């Protein structure tokens, strides 16, 4: 990114050669069509997927889709976390130090802010792109806001202002011009037609908004103890839970468990506590019968002792959205088969 910095160090001939190779491999006949599916993504390394979805979920602009973020990472680094350039750009999103100082944060909570950390880099990329989309929409330039934002990411927003849109092919050897076209053309390959695009959430208000927010993470792995109001995270094992094939998988799995997914969906509008049992206690004064369930209502299951062990969000049409257990992903299932029918405890409204 930041062509102004990199352009001073790259020769026009070198850039032109690189562009021709990339065009031959990636450029189709036309730019990708606009899509309103912000959740689906395919063809990305599994360690990138939850962070891409989180970056999209945090942006208020629907133009920032998972496919757009993925196509941009592909163009920047080919999903290589160790990528670097002689111009000083680093990591999968290719941040130069000055830009990283503004947008970088310890998104994966590992104690360091590192452009080579996948979580840190992708969240920073999403935040910068979200800001640029806002600038693009406010500018009223006659072009797709996604194209304008990509140009700003690559060359700096000042270059977009200078030309009143995407810089022409004559600017910096055509790097920015082709950067934008290649990403727009390659988005389709990353658009998933799977379950993340099948949950249509209608209406507004606390419940539908929480369901819509949580649904961005359909397909994200279950991680016992993982996830916070800020998004997916690694979990832990407690001697019983969090294990797969005899090994503690939660410690290395970025995802949600059932209650952290619900907590994330409602945060910060409703700051629910962390566990399923605590969430029931916090909302039990607002019970809902099965016949009156609405999207976003909290649905609970309990064992024979009455201990509430699982929570889900009602997704409409007799279905729930939930993080089932270790080895499974966040998904939509029929309420009657999501957990044992005899364990159904009841539902509440946040």
């Amino acid at each position: 990114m930041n062509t102004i910095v990199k352009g001073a160090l790259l020769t026009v001939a070198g850039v032109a050669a690189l562009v021709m190779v990339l065009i031959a491999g990636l450029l189709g006949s036309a730019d990708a069509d606009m899509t309103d599916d912000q959740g689906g993504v395919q063809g990305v390394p599994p360690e990138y997927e939850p962070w891409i979805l989180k970056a999209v979920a945090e942006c208020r602009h629907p133009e920032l889709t998972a496919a757009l973020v993925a196509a941009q990472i592909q163009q920047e680094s080919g999903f290589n976390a160790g990528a670097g350039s002689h111009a000083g750009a680093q990591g999968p999103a290719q941040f130069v130090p000055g830009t990283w100082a503004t947008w970088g944060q310890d998104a994966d909570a590992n104690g360091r802010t590192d452009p080579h950390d996948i979580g840190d880099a992708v969240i920073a990329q999403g935040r910068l792109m979200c800001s640029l989309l806002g600038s693009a929409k406010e500018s009223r330039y006659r072009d797709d806001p996604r194209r304008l934002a990509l140009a700003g990411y690559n060359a700096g927003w000042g270059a977009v202002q200078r030309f009143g849109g995407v810089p022409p092919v004559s600017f910096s050897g055509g790097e920015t011009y082709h950067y934008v076209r290649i990403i727009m053309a390659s988005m389709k390959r990353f658009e998933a037609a799977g379950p993340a695009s099948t949950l249509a959430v209608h209406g507004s208000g606390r419940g539908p908004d929480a369901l819509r927010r949580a649904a961005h993470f359909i397909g994200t792995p279950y991680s016992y103890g993982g996830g916070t109001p800020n998004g997916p995270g690694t979990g832990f094992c407690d001697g019983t839970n969090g294990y797969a094939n005899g090994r503690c998988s939660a410690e290395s799995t970025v995802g949600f468990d059932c209650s952290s997914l619900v907590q994330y969906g409602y945060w910060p509008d409703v700051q629910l506590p962390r566990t399923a049992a605590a969430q029931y206690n916090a909302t039990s004064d607002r019970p809902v019968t099965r016949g009156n369930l609405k999207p976003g209502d909290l649905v609970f299951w309990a064992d024979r002792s009455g201990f509430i062990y699982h929570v889900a969000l009602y997704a409409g049409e007799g279905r729930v959205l939930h993080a089932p257990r270790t080895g499974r992903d966040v998904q939509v299932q029929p309420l009657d088969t999501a957990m044992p029918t005899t364990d159904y405890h009841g539902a509440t409204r946040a």
Side-chain angles (χ1 to χ4, degrees):
M1 67 174 289
N2 200 333
T3 299
I4 295 174
V5 174
K6 292 193 286 187
L9 300 173
L10 294 172
T11 66
V12 171
V15 173
L18 176 60
V19 166
M20 293 304 294
V21 171
L22 290 172
I23 291 174
L26 291 175
L27 187 56
S29 59
D31 290 345
D33 293 333
M34 182 62 183
T35 174
D36 61 1
D37 173 20
Q38 298 186 55
V41 66
Q42 66 178 1
V44 303
E47 62 271 24
Y48 281 83
E49 184 172 354
W51 295 109
I52 291 173
L53 296 176
K54 176 174 168 58
V56 170
E58 290 184 353
C59 181
R60 64 187 178 90
H61 298 294
E63 291 86 356
L64 188 68
T65 64
L68 174 59
V69 174
Q72 189 176 21
I73 298 172
Q74 172 63 43
Q75 178 65 10
E76 289 286 355
S77 68
F79 295 96
N80 178 8
S85 77
H86 57 274
Q90 302 176 58
Q94 288 292 277
F95 276 94
V96 294
T99 310
W100 181 252
T102 300
W103 297 101
Q105 64 178 14
D106 184 15
D108 57 10
N110 67 354
R112 65 175 186 263
T113 302
D114 189 342
H116 293 284
D117 285 349
I118 292 171
D120 294 0
V122 175
I123 295 303
Q125 173 193 352
R127 292 173 64 214
L128 175 52
M129 279 294 291
C130 192
S131 175
L132 288 166
L133 282 166
S135 297
K137 293 160 100 172
E138 292 172 1
S139 72
R140 299 188 181 275
Y141 294 143
R142 294 185 178 181
D143 203 340
D144 188 324
R146 299 171 299 171
R147 286 171 40 84
L148 296 170
L150 288 169
Y153 191 99
N154 182 263
W157 187 248
V160 177
Q161 292 176 311
R162 172 183 168 188
F163 292 101
V166 176
V169 70
S170 59
F171 173 76
S172 192
E175 182 183 348
T176 301
Y177 177 85
H178 291 299
Y179 174 90
V180 172
R181 283 184 54 80
I182 290 166
I183 292 172
M184 294 295 291
S186 62
M187 282 172 54
K188 283 291 186 184
R189 62 183 283 198
F190 296 105
E191 291 176 1
S197 62
T198 62
L199 181 60
V201 182
H202 303 290
S204 60
R206 285 181 176 180
D209 289 349
L211 178 62
R212 189 176 293 110
R213 183 169 160 85
H216 282 297
F217 289 94
I218 291 175
T220 299
Y222 179 99
S223 179
Y224 182 78
T228 71
N230 294 321
T234 55
F236 59 87
C237 297
D238 62 3
T240 302
N241 300 294
Y243 299 90
N245 300 319
R247 302 180 62 182
C248 179
S249 66
E251 291 181 346
S252 58
T253 300
V254 176
F256 289 100
D257 62 19
C258 67
S259 55
S260 66
L261 178 67
V262 171
Q263 184 187 51
Y264 174 86
Y266 272 99
W267 205 276
D269 185 33
V270 180
Q271 297 186 11
L272 293 172
R274 178 61 177 79
T275 67
Q279 289 174 2
Y280 178 77
N281 291 336
T283 58
S284 60
D285 60 335
R286 297 180 295 280
V288 181
T289 64
R290 284 193 63 158
N292 290 317
L293 284 169
K294 295 182 178 180
D297 284 346
L298 282 66
V299 182
F300 297 93
W301 289 261
D303 61 23
R304 292 182 179 179
S305 72
F307 175 73
I308 293 173
Y309 66 84
H310 192 68
V311 62
L313 293 172
Y314 185 66
E317 300 178 352
R319 303 171 300 165
V320 294
L321 169 68
H322 69 148
R325 62 178 181 272
T326 298
R328 301 281 293 277
D329 295 337
V330 174
Q331 61 189 269
V332 177
Q333 286 186 284
L335 190 157
D336 288 333
T337 59
M339 289 288 153
T341 304
T342 55
D343 288 353
Y344 181 78
H345 188 77
T348 65
R349 189 159 293 156

